[in-house]
Amino acid sequence: MRKRPSRLTFQSRLDEMVGLLRSEIRSGRRADGEFLPPEKEMAVQYRLSNQSVRKGLEVLVAEGLIEKIPRVGNKVTAPAPAGNVTIKLCYQNTIPGETGLPELLARFRTLYPHINVQEVVLPANTLDIITQYMDNGMLDVVTINQTLFRELRETDNLGRLQPLEANPDVYPFLAEVFRAEGELLLQPFIFSPVVMCYNREHFLDKQVPEPDSSWTWRHMLDLAARLEIPKERVSLAYLFYSINRFPLLFLQHGLTFDRDDSGKRRIDRSKISELLRLARTLKEKFPILFDGSIRSDIETEQLFMQNKASIILTTYFRLNSFRDAEIPFELSPIPHMGDPRTLLVHIGLGINRKTEVQEAARALVKFLTSYETQLAIRRNTYSLPALKPAAEWVGKETLPRSPRFSMFREIFPTLRTCDDLKISEADMRKLVWEMRMHMAGFDDEEQFCTRLEEQLM
């Protein structure tokens, strides 16, 4: 029979945990505002029960070294050593791969040795998470995409962001999106149009003409079928209902959901009918778009890298997934309805208005949007930096690039955002749901339009 550890053993482990944390906090190795690991993790690390860990943390609370925040965690409250500053940079988990962030921050630490950057990965890119992190001092600088910015605006939460000074070298259309009441609230960081990415070998093998800016959805439907090989590969794959893909057909049909004089949403039923016919044809020709086989952009890319898809709709951000793949990919504008339009996807840097390290936070944002840093993003990734001189830099490349990589400059006039649809993010989610129901056969076109008029606020 295995001998149970004595109470003395448990107490020694508890003392070890408390002593180590106390030492790390007082020495500055755990900075003011930093959150300790979850209690469950510490229980495993020190072989203690959850109750014992909580008992030990209460000692640190009594000593004024940490603060317990209900449903959030345990935050260090001891001051950092004199002369040192810690800022918390919060970002989505894709940002390091899309920007080469580890190398960028290493250079920042060389330039600003007195500023320690604590990296915080967002568990989810949602309004609730961002506002909670801001309120509880869990972030000083944060990356925010266009969807989350719209939600912050629509819920009157933009006041949480510190106004910033505009950079004249940033593409003006990017800065304009992140303004509210004349103030710039996010500094544009990286951006991308939604584009078409295709496997050249598949086109050459099947003698299919390569796509260009003249391709309409009719061209796609007529030619893409020739690329398909049953049980081996599909011709077109993407996550149809993705928030960064779904609005495309609505934007390309010139739809807006304006209100009439009575405040009721106006639904252009003729355009909706045309859109639904195209969607049903896409479902017939490319069932993988609707049958649930694709559940994320990552799965779309996996199909492409495994030679199981000839064409995908993607962004320059996502091209970073192909850096080590041996796929001969090429880029093209997405098909259109006669009036070329595509969706703009963009990410900005914001500063928490409540931050106590305002100067250091501004230094980090200024560094990440400087020419040197933006050029590093352009040269070392496939992402597009927001700074025009960096994005359009010409020189010796460090990565193999498509001959059409600079195509993004030619399609600026086609860029649109969800703001052009004149509906909120909450209404966008309703629109996605109603579209799902229609495509599943639960109603006809007339019922679909009627429900939109009723559901959209």
Side-chain angles (χ1 to χ4, degrees):
M1 182 174 179
R2 188 175 181 179
K3 185 177 180 180
R4 294 181 60 187
S6 68
R7 290 180 57 85
L8 180 60
T9 302
F10 282 124
Q11 187 61 49
S12 64
R13 291 174 185 163
L14 181 58
D15 291 343
E16 178 188 5
M17 182 195 80
V18 173
L20 181 59
L21 291 174
R22 181 188 292 118
S23 173
E24 290 177 342
I25 293 170
R26 288 178 172 172
S27 67
R29 280 178 288 169
R30 289 193 181 274
D32 183 30
E34 179 179 348
F35 277 76
L36 299 182
E39 293 176 4
K40 289 184 178 179
E41 287 186 17
M42 288 192 284
V44 173
Q45 179 181 354
Y46 294 98
R47 293 180 293 165
L48 296 168
S49 68
N50 293 341
Q51 184 177 359
S52 296
V53 169
R54 284 191 289 272
K55 180 180 177 181
L57 294 177
E58 287 172 2
V59 174
L60 299 177
V61 171
E63 293 176 357
L65 297 178
I66 66 171
E67 175 187 5
K68 293 183 73 67
I69 301 177
R71 298 186 298 278
V72 176
N74 299 284
K75 184 173 73 171
V76 175
T77 58
N84 291 335
V85 176
T86 294
I87 56 176
K88 294 175 280 295
L89 171 63
C90 196
Y91 53 76
Q92 303 100 315
N93 62 4
T94 59
I95 290 294
E98 293 170 352
T99 63
L101 187 63
E103 292 77 15
L104 301 181
L105 292 182
R107 182 168 178 270
F108 177 79
R109 292 182 181 108
T110 299
L111 296 174
Y112 298 88
H114 67 288
I115 301 178
N116 175 51
V117 179
Q118 179 186 338
E119 298 174 61
V120 181
V121 181
L122 285 167
N125 193 35
T126 65
L127 178 66
D128 288 344
I129 292 292
I130 289 293
T131 54
Q132 184 184 69
Y133 274 41
M134 284 186 171
D135 289 345
N136 289 291
M138 297 172 68
L139 68 84
D140 301 301
V141 178
V142 60
T143 60
I144 294 178
N145 63 19
Q146 74 285 350
T147 300
L148 186 53
F149 184 78
R150 275 164 50 87
E151 287 191 279
L152 287 167
R153 183 181 63 202
E154 292 160 7
T155 55
D156 295 325
N157 277 300
L158 287 181
R160 298 171 185 271
L161 294 169
Q162 179 68 40
L164 302 170
E165 183 178 349
N167 186 333
D169 288 333
V170 166
Y171 286 110
F173 62 86
L174 296 178
E176 192 59 34
V177 173
F178 291 142
R179 288 184 183 276
E181 299 182 357
E183 291 185 323
L184 181 69
L185 297 177
L186 291 182
Q187 195 67 260
F189 186 35
I190 55 176
F191 77 100
S192 176
V194 175
V195 295
M196 189 156 64
C197 179
Y198 63 95
N199 187 315
R200 292 196 70 196
E201 288 186 351
H202 292 184
F203 279 75
L204 294 172
D205 179 56
K206 292 295 184 177
Q207 298 183 335
V208 175
E210 293 185 45
D212 54 40
S213 59
S214 70
W215 263 38
T216 64
W217 282 104
R218 179 53 55 192
H219 283 99
M220 172 71 83
L221 293 167
D222 290 344
L223 296 176
R226 291 163 51 184
L227 296 167
E228 188 163 340
I229 300 178
K231 298 183 179 181
E232 182 175 327
R233 75 180 185 224
V234 297
S235 50
L236 174 65
Y238 72 97
L239 186 60
F240 183 85
Y241 292 111
S242 164
I243 198 65
N244 289 329
R245 307 289 184 272
F246 175 75
L248 283 169
L249 295 188
F250 290 85
L251 291 168
Q252 290 189 339
H253 281 81
L255 279 159
T256 58
F257 297 93
D258 292 303
R259 299 183 187 276
D260 59 22
D261 293 338
S262 66
K264 185 179 180 181
R265 291 287 186 185
R266 292 200 301 263
I267 305 295
D268 189 327
R269 297 191 176 221
S270 63
K271 289 183 178 180
I272 288 287
S273 179
E274 183 181 359
L275 181 152
L276 293 178
R277 283 197 299 272
L278 174 58
R280 288 193 293 268
T281 303
L282 290 174
K283 182 178 180 180
E284 176 188 351
K285 300 291 186 180
F286 314 115
I288 195 172
L289 305 186
F290 300 88
D291 64 9
S293 299
I294 301 174
R295 293 169 293 180
S296 68
D297 291 332
I298 293 176
E299 291 184 352
T300 300
E301 293 148 13
Q302 288 175 339
L303 286 172
F304 190 76
M305 285 189 287
Q306 294 170 5
N307 273 305
K308 294 179 179 178
S310 298
I311 304 169
I312 61 173
L313 299 192
T314 188
T315 62
Y316 279 75
F317 306 146
R318 305 306 304 174
L319 294 180
N320 290 291
S321 301
F322 305 150
R323 290 184 60 163
D324 299 321
E326 297 181 357
I327 298 292
F329 68 88
E330 186 57 274
L331 302 178
S332 173
I334 64 171
H336 54 80
M337 299 299 300
D339 181 10
R341 295 182 182 186
T342 190
L343 190 63
L344 171 64
V345 183
H346 45 308
I347 296 173
L349 292 162
I351 296 177
N352 186 353
R353 191 187 286 264
K354 294 181 179 180
T355 180
E356 296 179 354
V357 287
Q358 185 75 225
E359 186 176 343
R362 286 183 179 276
L364 178 59
V365 170
K366 186 174 182 179
F367 168 81
L368 291 174
T369 54
S370 67
Y371 176 74
E372 291 76 15
T373 302
Q374 293 271 291
L375 181 59
I377 293 174
R378 164 61 180 82
R379 297 192 66 189
N380 300 323
T381 76
Y382 290 117
S383 300
L384 299 176
L387 209 64
K388 177 181 171 68
E392 300 182 9
W393 170 85
V394 176
K396 185 177 180 180
E397 298 285 1
T398 56
L399 292 176
R401 296 182 190 271
S402 155
R404 296 185 184 179
F405 181 84
S406 296
M407 173 192 73
F408 68 90
R409 299 177 62 238
E410 311 306 323
I411 60 177
F412 281 161
T414 74
L415 299 181
R416 300 292 185 274
T417 70
C418 289
D419 285 338
D420 293 301
L421 295 178
K422 305 295 180 64
I423 58 174
S424 66
E425 281 301 312
D427 279 345
M428 179 65 73
R429 289 189 286 271
K430 293 177 183 177
L431 183 57
V432 171
W433 173 255
E434 296 300 339
M435 188 72 170
R436 282 181 180 274
M437 294 300 98
H438 176 76
M439 296 303 292
F442 285 102
D443 58 23
D444 57 26
E445 289 183 11
E446 182 66 25
Q447 292 169 324
F448 176 76
C449 291
T450 299
R451 263 207 328 278
L452 285 187
E453 292 173 337
E454 295 172 349
Q455 292 293 323
L456 300 185
M457 301 296 289

